[in-house]
Amino acid sequence: MDAFTKLTGVVAPIDRVNIDTDQIIPAVYLKSIERSGFQDALFSSWRYNADGSDNPDFILNKEGYRNANVLVAGPNFGCGSSREHAPWALRDYGIKCIISTSFADIFYNNCFKNGVLPLVLPPEQVREIMDKAESDPGIELTVDLVAQRVWDESEEISISFEIDAARKDALVNGLDDIGLTLRMGNDIGDYESKHNL
Amino acid sequence: MPPKTMFEKIWADHVVAEEPGEPPIIYIDLHLVHEVTSPQAFDGLRDAGRKVRRLDLTVATADHNTPTWDLSLPVTDEISKKQLDALDRNCAEFGVTLYDRFSPLQGIVHIIGPDLGYTQPGKTVVCGDSHTSTHGALGAFAIGIGTSEVEHVLATQTLRAFKPDTMEIRVNGELPRGVTAKDIILAIIGKIGVYGGVGHVIEYTGDAIRALSMDGRMTVCNMSIEAGARAGMIAPDQITFDYLKGRQFAPQGDDFDAAVERWKNLVSDPGAKYDKLVELNAAEIEPHVTWGTTPGMVVPISGEIPNPEDAEDENTKDALTRALQYMDLKAGMAITDIKLDRVFIGACTNARLEDIRAAAEVVKGKKVHDDVYAMMVPGSAKIKQEAEDEGLDKILIEAGVDWRIAGCSMCLGMNPDILKPGERCASTSNRNFEGRQGKGGRTHLVSPAMAAAAAIAGHFVDVRDL
């Protein structure tokens, strides 16, 4: 799996609650049988006009935000479907970290499999980043998973965060879950014999 | 031993390995596969030279992309066809049992699992699909997973999963006539919100839940994910056992009786503690209609569209304002004044036999309103046949409802069944997100009876008044 250690990049704010997976990537784009190439589908309903041109009002089409690598968004980000195409589309666009007060469970799990960090921060800190990103287009944040810190160049934003140690370890080291589990092959076999499976 | 919840018993019984600081490794008893979330997983296996560990615990079907028109007609969407072909190829190469679109056992993955007897109490069930929560209605622990996890389960028959917390949602009392399982779950989501269940497994309890048929229980569990929950479950009882008896892939004969004895022990122990408790009175639940762009934006049929000015915070106010704009509705409007262009009865939420019967009962001897196009998409080829054996198709067709073949259809618009921009639909599916049923489409979630009644009237009506 892809690793995530430290990232410095532009923050784009989307101040909405419950951004669902159908907004992140509509179902019509799930017909691909590939694992990448979803960058143009990201937020397509919001990002493009009916004629396919860019919607100038959408944040990723605005000056300063086009090359965003970090997204800051409202609570319950990624609710809805289990489609891993959602983190794939974010990753393919270049967004490797999403900051919110909360994430939907399946989306949260899926991010860790793809080198994308879904970072949970308290409401006041998410608000601070949201306000800063809105008022200062193109502002960059550094997200350091190893040091568990987020800051901007001016250090006006300087935040330490908590994250589950096992999840951090998997992401920092880009661990191959399947390889690790297969090393437990004997345990799985024992379980199967014990349960007549 | 301290008393345990049903979920805790099933979880404890499936832990293969647990290392400190690592997520436990959980054994998976049933892995359901469909065409949308599996191609990249099979590619991953192929690239690493891995096999499917337990072909006997893995079943695939094609449902999301399949057209619901006549089977003799080809799949015209080239990209959909490519995905369906990929499933055919992958299942053939790896040896996975596949019910393709021509199989008599084909259907929506969450409908065929229980209907064919694959899903059983006490099992752990996964599928690359969030509505896997449906299977919990039989007393299984069933969760949706992403494609990387699909690959993990294919290769190892296990999942690395953190143990969720538990929540009891107790619905006591008797449901009024005309109020259904769909209204219970919409009322629950209206109460706890779309992230009220995040990180939790919900167990639905109480006499109103116990009184539901298996079809109704599956509707409730189906939408657990719409409250953000990891899974939804209902303890198995005589209704569950009667439902499973004789189903093709359920235990047969003496094995079935022995299984029932095991299953009876799964129920939560008296005094078992849940991390959260929510209570509802069934007698107070009305038929519900969603008006907005999340399943939590829902009101009773007697209600009206809320006013964003009444919202308790700015975030909610913004969300309500945006939803009103997208749905082209005005605050204060009566739900019964909402006129419809389309009616969709189907999806893993409400495409079982009981749902088809409920819709047929409402439209019998009546005609679909001139301004409305209504379609009924059964959940599986088998259920379609059963409905036809009862003559339900004729009732629906005579009323002007289009009778289709099984698939996910207009629940998410991956096949040709989609809303046009601006079209408004009464739908028995589970999500009313912006663009869910087609870009610019407007979705209102309701029960099958309410959808059928709206099809006749051309606008929402209270099914209890019919």
Side-chain angles (χ1 to χ4, degrees):
Chain A
M1 293 192 305
D2 294 336
F4 181 107
T5 48
K6 185 176 169 185
L7 163 78
T8 299
V10 168
V11 197
I14 307 185
D15 195 1
R16 296 194 196 185
V17 297
N18 303 321
I19 296 176
D20 61 73
T21 48
D22 280 82
Q23 309 319 313
I24 300 170
I25 181 167
V28 69
Y29 298 103
L30 312 186
K31 298 178 189 182
S32 165
I33 57 173
E34 308 297 327
R35 213 185 175 101
S36 59
F38 295 97
Q39 60 279 1
D40 294 339
L42 180 71
F43 293 121
S44 79
S45 300
W46 293 347
R47 202 166 135 202
Y48 307 118
N49 295 313
D51 63 1
S53 61
D54 285 355
N55 168 11
D57 296 332
F58 184 61
I59 191 75
L60 295 178
N61 292 330
K62 288 186 183 172
E63 202 53 47
Y65 298 108
R66 282 182 182 269
N67 301 320
N69 304 112
V70 180
L71 197 65
V72 55
N76 201 27
F77 187 90
C79 60
S81 141
S82 67
R83 60 189 69 164
E84 201 159 315
H85 311 69
W88 292 341
L90 288 159
R91 175 205 63 192
D92 291 350
Y93 185 90
I95 294 172
K96 302 284 175 62
C97 174
I98 306 125
I99 299 173
S100 178
T101 53
S102 61
F103 293 90
D105 291 326
I106 308 178
F107 176 83
Y108 189 75
N109 278 340
N110 283 342
C111 285
F112 285 93
K113 314 288 182 190
N114 293 285
V116 175
L117 172 65
L119 182 57
V120 177
L121 293 178
E124 56 278 13
Q125 293 178 341
V126 172
R127 177 49 51 199
E128 185 187 1
I129 296 170
M130 187 82 79
D131 289 347
K132 185 99 177 156
E134 281 176 347
S135 63
D136 199 351
I139 185 180
E140 293 193 343
L141 274 190
T142 299
V143 181
D144 188 336
L145 177 57
V146 180
Q148 297 183 210
R149 252 191 88 219
V150 177
W151 68 92
D152 72 334
E153 206 182 4
S154 70
E155 296 266 352
E156 277 176 38
I157 293 172
S158 176
I159 295 167
S160 295
F161 61 84
E162 296 298 315
I163 186 166
D164 177 85
R167 291 198 191 269
K168 173 182 170 179
D169 184 45
L171 203 47
V172 166
N173 295 302
L175 295 178
D176 167 22
D177 272 355
I178 299 176
L180 287 177
T181 303
L182 284 173
R183 278 196 238 148
M184 318 282 286
N186 287 342
D187 290 324
I188 302 172
D190 288 350
Y191 180 92
E192 287 170 329
S193 349
K194 206 167 86 189
H195 289 77
N196 293 319
L197 281 159
Chain B
M1 284 243 295
K4 279 181 167 178
T5 64
M6 170 170 58
F7 162 69
E8 285 162 339
K9 292 182 192 182
I10 297 174
W11 180 273
D13 194 38
H14 286 82
V15 174
V16 171
E18 201 163 12
E19 304 266 334
E22 293 274 323
I25 297 177
I26 300 299
Y27 199 80
I28 300 304
D29 296 318
L30 175 62
H31 185 191
L32 299 163
V33 174
H34 66 80
E35 78 275 20
V36 180
T37 54
S38 67
Q40 299 86 351
F42 282 113
D43 282 349
L45 288 189
R46 198 178 286 114
D47 291 348
R50 290 169 179 150
K51 292 187 293 195
V52 177
R53 181 180 175 93
R54 292 297 297 261
L55 290 168
D56 55 333
L57 306 180
T58 310
V59 184
T61 193
D63 55 4
H64 284 64
N65 280 266
T66 52
T68 56
W69 52 49
D70 193 312
L71 270 180
S72 63
L73 296 170
V75 180
T76 50
D77 179 334
E78 282 303 316
I79 317 175
S80 284
K81 184 165 185 322
K82 215 169 147 188
Q83 195 162 62
L84 291 165
D85 290 347
L87 184 68
D88 288 349
R89 232 177 18 251
N90 287 327
C91 289
E93 179 185 337
F94 287 91
V96 173
T97 301
L98 166 66
Y99 304 129
D100 68 9
R101 69 190 194 100
F102 301 105
S103 165
L105 301 187
Q106 178 268 350
I108 305 175
V109 67
H110 308 308
I111 301 243
I112 65 169
D115 195 49
L116 299 178
Y118 283 112
T119 307
Q120 294 159 23
K123 278 193 179 184
T124 47
V125 181
V126 296
C127 174
D129 194 290
S130 59
H131 292 111
T132 307
S133 59
T134 313
H135 305 261
L138 288 95
F141 173 58
I143 58 171
I145 56 176
T147 296
S148 294
E149 291 177 321
V150 168
E151 185 181 337
H152 190 280
V153 178
L154 287 171
T156 68
Q157 203 56 37
T158 66
L159 192 64
R160 290 172 169 262
F162 290 88
K163 188 176 176 186
D165 293 333
T166 54
M167 177 188 283
E168 180 186 8
I169 297 187
R170 199 183 293 160
V171 191
N172 273 326
E174 196 178 333
L175 273 188
R177 187 187 62 85
V179 181
T180 67
K182 184 64 162 282
D183 304 304
I184 295 182
I185 188 63
L186 287 174
I188 288 170
I189 299 166
K191 186 180 169 93
I192 70 173
V194 292
Y195 51 103
V198 168
H200 290 75
V201 174
I202 297 173
E203 183 178 343
Y204 302 94
T205 66
D207 19 288
I209 299 295
R210 295 259 72 86
L212 293 174
S213 67
M214 283 316 301
D215 285 5
R217 292 179 186 186
M218 285 186 253
T219 301
V220 171
C221 287
N222 175 271
M223 289 189 72
S224 303
I225 182 76
E226 261 51 71
R230 199 74 186 90
M233 306 175 84
I234 294 173
D237 58 13
Q238 199 55 44
I239 292 176
T240 321
F241 309 144
D242 291 345
Y243 172 92
L244 275 170
K245 192 165 190 172
R247 295 198 182 255
Q248 192 170 346
F249 297 98
Q252 309 289 327
D254 291 347
D255 288 347
F256 183 80
D257 298 335
V260 167
E261 290 313 308
R262 283 200 313 276
W263 294 340
K264 283 179 178 169
N265 294 325
L266 289 169
V267 300
S268 295
D269 298 327
K273 292 270 185 298
Y274 300 82
D275 298 304
K276 271 190 194 169
L277 168 68
V278 175
E279 286 187 278
L280 276 84
N281 180 356
E284 290 170 2
I285 301 176
E286 290 184 50
H288 273 58
V289 181
T290 66
W291 63 267
T293 52
T294 75
M297 294 175 176
V298 64
V299 286
I301 181 67
S302 63
E304 56 182 44
I305 310 288
N307 192 334
E309 295 303 323
D310 301 336
E312 48 202 38
D313 58 72
E314 281 302 308
N315 260 345
T316 313
K317 186 178 159 184
D318 286 353
L320 296 182
T321 307
R322 191 183 300 277
L324 282 182
Q325 194 180 1
Y326 181 84
M327 295 297 286
D328 193 26
L329 295 169
K330 298 227 159 18
M333 192 177 169
I335 297 297
T336 46
D337 286 341
I338 300 175
K339 292 194 172 58
L340 298 154
D341 306 302
R342 305 275 294 256
V343 169
F344 170 64
I345 306 172
C348 53
T349 327
N350 282 119
R352 286 169 286 269
L353 196 54
E354 178 178 296
D355 304 312
I356 305 175
R357 285 182 187 142
E361 191 188 326
V362 171
V363 303
K364 190 171 187 175
K366 302 194 177 93
K367 286 283 177 201
V368 169
H369 193 277
D370 283 345
D371 296 342
V372 175
Y373 167 76
M375 64 195 289
M376 165 85 231
V377 185
S380 71
K382 178 168 163 275
I383 287 171
K384 176 173 183 281
Q385 186 59 53
E386 287 165 355
E388 289 173 359
D389 292 345
E390 290 186 18
L392 301 175
D393 59 323
K394 290 201 179 58
I395 295 171
L396 290 159
I397 292 166
E398 274 165 24
V401 179
D402 206 356
W403 178 251
R404 297 297 191 93
I405 68 162
C408 298
S409 182
M410 210 166 67
C411 174
L412 83 169
M414 282 194 74
N415 79 345
D417 308 330
I418 55 167
L419 292 181
K420 294 194 201 78
E423 277 190 324
R424 187 180 297 284
C425 181
S427 178
T428 67
S429 52
N430 39 42
R431 288 197 177 129
N432 52 344
F433 297 156
E434 285 180 29
R436 169 77 177 180
Q437 296 188 293
K439 191 172 177 178
R442 299 176 176 130
T443 303
H444 297 273
L445 304 176
V446 285
S447 72
M450 284 289 286
I456 303 297
H459 59 88
F460 286 114
V461 290
D462 190 335
V463 70
R464 296 171 300 177
D465 295 341
L466 298 183

